[in-house]
């Protein structure tokens, strides 16, 4: 048991290291450098070389990477040469926005998707099921950059209920905060609801054919009881997996939605750092997201044990 | 239909067609039978004969795209037309079912205790602790050792035999008047099959409960039931007392089935008797007798007009032994001649395909 956990941890660390290396290599392949961005168009090559030396960007990539790594282990992801803000601080500053968006969007999506999936699974094959499933196919294929403007148009411009763009921090009060969160959350949720619904519906339909569901019905238990107490939990393995993956993805920045609504989240941070060749910040954010991914997926793996007692390896029985 | 007092369960002209992409499978096609109070009825037939579908129709467990007609009268009330709420008061409380594979009929993610007690808590309106006490007693009754601990277990922590005992305890929880056991031992180790079957018969007798024991295996039903119904391809072939049918089967199918059952006095090295051919296509069964294509005694009358359910011993002898056979096996000794008997030599021919595998006795 301890060995498996250690193996998992080892593999996770490897994943994070590779992700960091990959992000450094990718950015070094792109043309331009931070120095040229800082100094502007009129900079001479000498000035750029000097600044590069100052920033340590003249060293070979592997050396940059190793130096960065040594600091990263201590929680110091370096300081941005552009904004002169420590990357860790930048992340911490942006994180609440992104986490709030991700968590609200996932919670809302799950809530709606579970209800819809229960409805369409218990009415599988009927027009209700076909209508819901058809709608979810539509939403599955509507990208956020289409859903976003539509939502803004109706929710903000026409009805005027929500701000068009911008973000109110929780410190400004929960009401305004939620008000500014609703449209982005909706824009993210549409696709999430659709994919969660489809997945859970399929699994529920399969579970409802199981003998133990028949056995529960043969005990005279009501349909709602059978659905909630017997069918839902064994049907939710793939759903939980997908939720984990999507949580990681959403924390990595809902780049498009954040850009669309000009929300000060991690996605925005990445986009602006890429534009300014701010390798240090990009690296920091990417590694941070990789860590979140790895941790969330470990939590998902742990949740299987809670969902399915057969996977528990406790020598208690 | 019979002289006995009102049966617990009377199935009348039951048809259950199941929609498939290839057309409607006529799983149960005009079947009538009944189970008397405190009586054990064995329902026997090959896989695909419709016996399980009949059980599922009684329990309201047919798949969504299926059509059902006829009557399923439980104590005079038709389960097919009763409102769902009222049926849910009957299922689990007055009719309980034990399924084929206890590994699949117990929810893998729910503790035994809740699976065992949820029915009685609903139907008997008792609290958690009372239900717990009853559950312990029930597990003891069906021979589960250390019931307190077992209640806290999940199904995968129990052996197959123990799981089926749990299923039986669950079925008995509300003291039903009828227990339907659908191939209750097919999925179990051979060594525990007999224990489970004997347990079923014991609780059925102890509690004065009616039981429908469904099996593809005549040997399973032989010593443990009062009456037997033999099904073939969705139709009822023969029904009567277990004693009468095993002593002198009249329907050609029953006869062939019994003949194909190996027994201890089977001559060594003699070829095992089998029934040639296989079940007809359930979406378009042959006209008339469905066994006709495989029967060695088929005449034109078997196909048109085909057999009808008639008394095997003449109307005067009562309606308890019924057969649907145009050319039945001659009755032993005092043959009555009510049916045209073109009885020839020993029943089933000798050709190959191992139908016998289905019929292994023990």
């Amino acid at each position: 048991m301890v060995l498996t956990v250690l193996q998992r941890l080892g593999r996770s660390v490897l994943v994070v290291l590779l992700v960091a290396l990959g992000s450094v290599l990718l950015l070094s392949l792109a043309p331009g450098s931070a120095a040229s961005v800082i100094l502007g168009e009129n900079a001479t090559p000498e000035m750029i070389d000097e600044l590069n030396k100052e920033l340590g960007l003249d060293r070979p990539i592997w050396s940059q990477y190793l130096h960065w790594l040594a600091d990263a282990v201590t929680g110091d992801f370096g300081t941005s040469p552009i904004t002169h803000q420590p990357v860790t601080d930048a992340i911490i500053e942006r994180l609440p926005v992104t986490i709030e968006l991700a968590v609200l969007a996932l919670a809302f999506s799950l809530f709606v998707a579970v209800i819809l999936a229960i409805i369409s699974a218990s009415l599988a094959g009927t027009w209700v099921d076909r209508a819901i499933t058809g709608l979810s196919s539509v939403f599955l294929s509507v990208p956020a950059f289409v859903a976003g403007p539509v939502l803004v148009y109706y929710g903000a411009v026409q009805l005027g209920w929500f701000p068009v763009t911008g973000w109110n921090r929780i410190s400004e009060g929960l009401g305004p905060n939620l008000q500014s969160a609703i449209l982005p959350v909706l824009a993210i949720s549409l696709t999430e609801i659709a994919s969660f619904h489809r997945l859970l519906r399929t699994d529920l339909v399969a579970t409802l054919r199981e003998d133990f569901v028949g056995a529960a019905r043969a005990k005279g238990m009501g349909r709602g009881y059978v659905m909630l107490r017997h069918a839902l939990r064994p049907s939710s393995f793939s759903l939980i997996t997908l939720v984990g993956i999507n949580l990681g993805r959403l924390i990595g920045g809902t780049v498009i939605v954040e850009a669309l609504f000009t929300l000060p989240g991690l996605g925005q941070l990445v986009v602006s750092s890429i534009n300014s060749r701010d390798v240090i910040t990009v690296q920091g954010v990417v590694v941070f997201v990789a860590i979140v991914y790895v941790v969330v997926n470990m939590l998902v793996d742990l949740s299987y044990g809670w969902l399915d007692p057969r996977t528990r390896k406790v020598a208690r029985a | 239909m019979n002289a006995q007092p009102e049966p617990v369960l009377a199935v009348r002209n039951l048809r259950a067609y199941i929609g498939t992409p290839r057309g409607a499978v006529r799983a149960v096609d005009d079947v009538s039978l009944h189970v008397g109070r405190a009586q054990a009825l064995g329902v026997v037939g090959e896989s695909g004969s419709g016996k399980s579908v009949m059980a599922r129709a009684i329990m309201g467990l047919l798949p969504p795209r299926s059509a059902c007609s006829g009557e399923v009268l439980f104590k005079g009330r038709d389960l097919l037309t009763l409102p769902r709420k009222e049926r849910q008061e009957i299922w689990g409380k007055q009719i309980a079912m034990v399924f084929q594979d206890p590994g699949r009929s117990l929810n893998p993610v729910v503790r035994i205790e809740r699976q065992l007690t949820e029915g009685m808590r609903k139907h008997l309106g008792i609290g958690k602790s009372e239900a717990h006490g009853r559950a312990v007693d029930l597990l003891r009754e069906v021979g589960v050792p250390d019931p307190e601990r077992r209640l806290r277990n999940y199904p995968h922590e129990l052996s197959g035999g123990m799981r089926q005992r749990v299923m039986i305890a669950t079925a008995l929880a509300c003291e039903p008047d009828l227990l339907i056991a659908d191939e209750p031992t097919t999925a179990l180790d051979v060594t525990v099959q007999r224990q489970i079957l004997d347990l079923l018969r014991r609780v059925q007798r102890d509690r004065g409960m009616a039981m429908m024991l469904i099996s593809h295996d005549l040997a399973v039903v032989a010593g443990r039931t009062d009456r037997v119904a033999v099904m073939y391809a969705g139709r009822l072939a023969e029904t009567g007392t277990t004693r009468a049918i095993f002593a002198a089967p009249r329907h050609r199918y029953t006869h062939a089935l019994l003949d194909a059952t190996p027994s201890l006095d089977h001559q060594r090295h003699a070829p095992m008797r089998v029934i040639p051919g296989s079940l007809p296509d359930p979406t378009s069964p042959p006209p008339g007798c469905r066994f006709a294509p495989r029967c060695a005694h088929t005449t034109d009358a078997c196909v048109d007009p085909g057999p009808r359910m008639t008394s095997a011993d003449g109307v005067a002898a009562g309606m308890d032994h019924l057969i649907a056979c145009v050319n039945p096996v001659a009755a032993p000794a005092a043959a009555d001649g009510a049916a045209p008997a073109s009885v020839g030599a020993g029943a089933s021919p000798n050709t190959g395909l191992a139908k016998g595998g289905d019929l292994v006795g023990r």
Side-chain angles (χ1 to χ4, degrees):
Chain A
M1 184 68 192
V2 177
L3 192 71
T4 25
V5 170
L6 282 179
Q7 274 176 340
R8 276 223 61 143
L9 273 177
R11 236 177 300 157
S12 307
V13 170
L14 193 67
V15 167
V16 172
L17 291 180
L18 285 174
V19 167
L21 183 62
S23 69
V24 176
L25 289 176
L26 261 183
L27 275 168
S28 72
L29 289 175
S33 72
S36 60
V37 174
I38 296 169
L39 296 172
E41 285 176 17
N42 301 324
T44 61
E46 290 75 27
M47 289 162 75
I48 292 179
D49 279 349
E50 198 169 329
L51 188 61
N52 269 340
K53 195 168 279 177
E54 202 177 303
L55 297 173
L57 296 177
D58 59 327
R59 285 173 296 172
I61 293 201
W62 59 266
S63 150
Q64 287 182 41
Y65 178 64
L66 288 180
H67 271 92
W68 175 85
L69 213 54
D71 288 340
V73 175
T74 68
D76 174 12
F77 287 126
T79 302
S80 159
I82 315 276
T83 61
H84 304 292
Q85 190 186 23
V87 175
T88 314
D89 290 358
I91 291 175
I92 289 173
E93 189 186 308
R94 309 296 185 105
L95 198 56
V97 179
T98 300
I99 287 191
E100 186 181 343
L101 266 187
V103 170
L104 278 182
L106 277 185
F108 176 70
S109 311
L110 268 180
F111 180 74
V112 177
V114 167
I115 291 176
L116 288 180
I118 286 178
I119 293 174
S120 45
S122 39
L123 297 172
T126 64
W127 68 266
V128 181
D129 172 39
R130 260 173 285 166
I132 296 177
T133 310
L135 258 182
S136 88
S137 303
V138 172
F139 284 124
L140 202 57
S141 45
V142 172
F145 61 80
V146 174
V150 173
L151 286 169
V152 169
Y153 181 72
Y154 285 105
V157 180
Q158 292 284 72
L159 296 168
W161 291 351
F162 311 106
V164 176
T165 56
W167 181 256
N168 301 316
R169 296 194 170 270
I170 295 190
S171 53
E172 296 164 51
L174 191 63
N177 171 252
L178 285 180
Q179 211 177 20
S180 63
I182 283 179
L183 287 184
V185 163
L186 274 182
I188 299 171
S189 296
L190 287 181
T191 357
E192 305 288 312
I193 291 174
S195 56
F196 292 165
H197 165 259
R198 297 200 70 118
L199 195 67
L200 183 59
R201 178 199 172 275
T202 311
D203 285 355
L204 267 178
V205 167
T207 306
L208 288 177
R209 287 199 202 106
E210 293 280 349
D211 270 359
F212 61 77
V213 168
R217 285 192 186 137
K219 285 183 221 166
M221 309 314 291
R223 283 196 275 189
Y225 180 92
V226 172
M227 180 62 82
L228 295 176
R229 286 292 205 161
H230 284 283
L232 197 54
R233 208 162 95 177
S235 311
S236 48
F237 302 115
S238 357
L239 182 69
I240 294 288
T241 312
L242 185 66
V243 168
I245 292 171
N246 285 5
L247 181 63
R249 189 169 53 78
L250 289 181
I251 290 196
T254 45
V255 177
I256 291 165
V257 170
E258 284 183 20
L260 212 61
F261 292 90
T262 56
L263 306 178
L266 277 183
Q268 282 270 41
L269 182 62
V270 175
V271 172
S272 60
S273 334
I274 290 174
N275 286 336
S276 57
R277 308 274 158 239
D278 187 347
V279 181
I280 299 291
T281 306
V282 173
Q283 227 172 314
V285 176
V286 168
V287 169
F288 174 78
V289 169
I291 292 173
V292 170
Y293 239 103
V294 165
V295 169
V296 166
N297 278 301
M298 278 177 108
L299 289 179
V300 166
D301 285 356
L302 287 179
S303 78
Y304 293 145
W306 168 74
L307 278 174
D308 188 348
R310 285 169 297 186
T311 60
R312 286 174 209 166
K313 285 185 190 165
V314 188
R316 177 158 42 89
Chain B
M1 267 202 45
N2 69 337
Q4 293 176 336
E6 186 203 10
V8 174
L9 181 81
V11 173
R12 292 199 186 141
N13 308 106
L14 181 68
R15 285 191 163 84
Y17 292 2
I18 295 165
T20 68
R22 301 200 308 112
V25 167
R26 303 189 187 185
V28 178
D29 210 357
D30 198 9
V31 166
S32 301
L33 49 78
H34 59 91
V35 190
R37 270 173 211 287
Q39 195 179 59
L41 170 75
V43 178
V44 181
E46 296 166 62
S47 324
S49 61
K51 50 201 194 316
S52 283
V53 173
M54 179 175 68
R56 290 184 163 262
I58 295 169
M59 299 306 286
L61 292 176
L62 290 179
R65 265 178 287 279
S66 50
C68 218
S69 71
E71 287 179 320
V72 175
L73 296 172
F74 178 75
K75 294 182 174 176
R77 295 205 287 170
D78 186 1
L79 292 179
L80 296 185
T81 56
L82 218 55
R84 174 168 278 273
K85 275 265 177 275
E86 286 176 51
R87 282 185 289 170
Q88 281 175 349
E89 288 302 312
I90 293 176
W91 293 325
K93 188 179 186 186
Q94 302 186 61
I95 310 178
M97 181 155 169
V98 174
F99 292 74
Q100 177 167 348
D101 184 352
R104 298 169 49 113
S105 51
L106 283 165
N107 191 329
V109 304
V110 178
R111 283 181 208 277
I112 299 294
E113 170 144 15
R114 203 172 83 212
Q115 307 202 48
L116 213 169
T117 57
E118 62 188 0
M120 48 178 157
R121 290 183 64 188
K122 182 199 169 188
H123 293 300
L124 310 179
I126 57 178
K128 206 170 184 169
S129 59
E130 195 184 343
H132 177 84
R134 286 184 61 117
V136 170
D137 292 344
L138 281 163
L139 287 184
R140 220 165 257 143
E141 182 182 347
V142 298
V144 173
D146 200 358
E148 289 280 357
R149 200 184 65 173
R150 290 300 169 212
L151 284 176
R152 288 192 301 273
N153 282 156
Y154 286 96
H156 71 277
E157 296 167 321
L158 272 57
S159 68
M162 280 302 143
R163 285 184 210 150
Q164 197 61 301
R165 285 174 198 268
V166 168
M167 285 305 290
I168 293 171
T170 309
L172 297 176
C174 298
E175 301 185 341
D177 298 311
L178 171 66
L179 178 70
I180 298 176
D182 182 8
E183 304 257 11
T185 56
T186 308
L188 300 180
D189 287 346
V190 181
T191 45
V192 295
Q193 289 186 348
R194 192 189 195 103
Q195 298 171 13
I196 295 292
L197 290 167
D198 290 343
L199 168 68
L200 279 170
R201 178 59 159 171
R202 196 192 81 216
V203 292
Q204 183 255 329
R205 282 208 167 127
D206 287 356
R207 290 169 171 253
M209 175 179 70
M211 177 165 79
M212 183 187 279
L213 178 60
I214 297 171
S215 178
H216 61 266
D217 189 346
L218 280 166
V220 160
V221 160
R224 300 179 181 91
T225 55
D226 306 302
R227 295 176 62 251
V228 173
V230 180
M231 287 183 73
Y232 183 81
R235 289 259 167 90
L236 196 62
E238 180 164 12
T239 172
T241 62
T242 310
R243 187 186 303 268
I245 286 186
F246 275 85
R250 303 294 311 281
H251 194 287
R252 289 289 169 189
Y253 175 62
T254 320
H255 188 251
L257 205 57
L258 273 171
D259 227 34
T261 307
S263 62
L264 279 178
D265 46 305
H266 187 81
Q267 214 176 348
R268 289 177 73 193
H269 306 300
M272 194 141 85
R273 289 179 187 276
V274 294
I275 306 175
S278 57
L279 279 171
D281 176 4
T283 56
S284 55
C289 177
R290 291 183 183 176
F291 186 59
R294 295 171 76 183
C295 184
H297 305 271
T298 307
T299 57
D300 289 346
C302 292
V303 179
D304 185 27
R308 292 180 50 205
M309 226 37 189
T310 49
S311 169
D313 310 308
V315 181
M319 297 291 281
D320 199 46
H321 191 169
L322 299 172
I323 49 170
C325 192
V326 176
N327 303 312
V329 182
D336 58 273
S342 66
V343 186
S348 52
N350 41 7
T351 33
L353 297 165
K355 193 65 246 158
D358 244 14
L359 299 163
V360 179
R362 69 187 66 91

